[in-house]
Amino acid sequence: MNLDRAVHQALFRAEATKNIGLFDGRMGMAVLFSKYGFNTNNPLYQEYAEEIINKIMHNLSFKEDIGLATGLAGVGWGILYLVNQGLLNGEFLKYCVKINRCIMYADLRRIEDTTFEYGMAGLTHYFIYGKHTNVKNWFDEDFIFDLNNQFNKLLMDKTLMNEVLVGSYVERIFKMIVESIIK
């Protein structure tokens, strides 16, 4: 993985991109900068990552898609990842609560996409990854009920979902972020 190269490319694109997403978007760049700042012991990268996250949250219209790669679930996932890695303080979890409220407006019964990047697999991963945090009322009961029903209705690939649910995707996602920025 070429972290230096990804950071170099992201520095030039971070302000120009409108994509808020985790893959090749602003949230992915914030994750990258934060991790890079930690690895190089350079707090300027961490400060820049926090600035990007604050700008994302300030400018959200909440009309964005809810997918992991390009939407709200990806923004929430990035914040969770950084908090879980100890790279952001827990105060940033308030943003996840705000994001989750918006995700809950989506009608999950109409989602037909089962992919990890844009559909139910990624949304389910975000839900499972986040429900183990200290965030109260992660999602409401109605949303959880609809998520379970849609998961079963779509007959999603159980092998993929077992990997997604047990968390083997957490570090894979970081690699996906780096690869999407370098491409």
Side-chain angles (χ1 to χ4, degrees):
M1 179 176 2
N2 193 343
L3 196 57
D4 291 327
R5 182 173 169 208
V7 167
H8 184 262
Q9 288 185 13
L11 282 170
F12 289 104
R13 296 191 341 232
E15 292 299 320
T17 187
K18 300 294 181 204
N19 176 356
I20 64 164
L22 194 58
F23 298 170
D24 198 27
R26 299 191 82 194
M27 189 67 224
M29 292 176 194
V31 169
L32 182 67
F33 294 143
S34 186
K35 193 134 177 164
Y36 188 77
F38 177 78
N39 290 346
T40 61
N41 200 26
N42 187 337
L44 292 176
Y45 286 100
Q46 177 63 33
E47 290 171 20
Y48 189 44
E50 290 179 17
E51 180 182 321
I52 290 171
I53 293 168
N54 286 322
K55 283 182 182 178
I56 290 170
M57 294 306 299
H58 179 73
N59 293 317
L60 277 183
S61 68
F62 295 105
K63 294 179 182 175
E64 289 83 3
D65 71 78
I66 62 171
L68 192 67
T70 58
L72 295 171
V75 174
W77 187 95
I79 292 168
L80 279 173
Y81 177 78
L82 293 174
V83 169
N84 289 340
Q85 296 287 310
L87 302 173
L88 282 180
N89 69 47
E91 301 248 342
F92 278 85
L93 293 176
K94 70 182 179 215
Y95 288 150
C96 291
V97 171
K98 189 175 180 181
I99 289 167
N100 293 354
R101 284 189 198 129
C102 293
I103 289 173
M104 287 189 281
Y105 282 110
D107 187 351
L108 299 183
R109 297 168 295 173
R110 301 208 189 291
I111 297 175
E112 296 179 4
D113 188 332
T114 60
T115 65
F116 187 74
E117 291 83 359
Y118 306 101
M120 288 300 296
L123 183 59
T124 302
H125 173 72
Y126 171 62
F127 168 76
I128 297 293
Y129 186 49
K131 79 176 191 175
H132 299 292
T133 65
N134 295 330
V135 180
K136 292 182 181 179
N137 303 321
W138 182 242
F139 282 97
D140 67 24
E141 290 178 19
D142 291 335
F143 179 86
I144 295 167
F145 179 80
D146 287 347
L147 185 66
N148 285 328
N149 282 343
Q150 190 67 356
F151 179 84
N152 292 328
K153 177 183 162 193
L154 293 175
L155 302 171
M156 293 172 63
D157 181 348
K158 300 296 184 199
T159 305
L160 169 66
M161 288 315 299
N162 284 335
E163 289 179 11
V164 170
L165 296 177
V166 298
S168 65
Y169 266 71
V170 173
E171 284 306 314
R172 277 193 203 165
I173 291 175
F174 182 72
K175 290 177 184 172
M176 293 164 104
I177 292 168
V178 172
E179 290 168 5
S180 70
I181 291 171
I182 290 176
K183 69 175 176 157

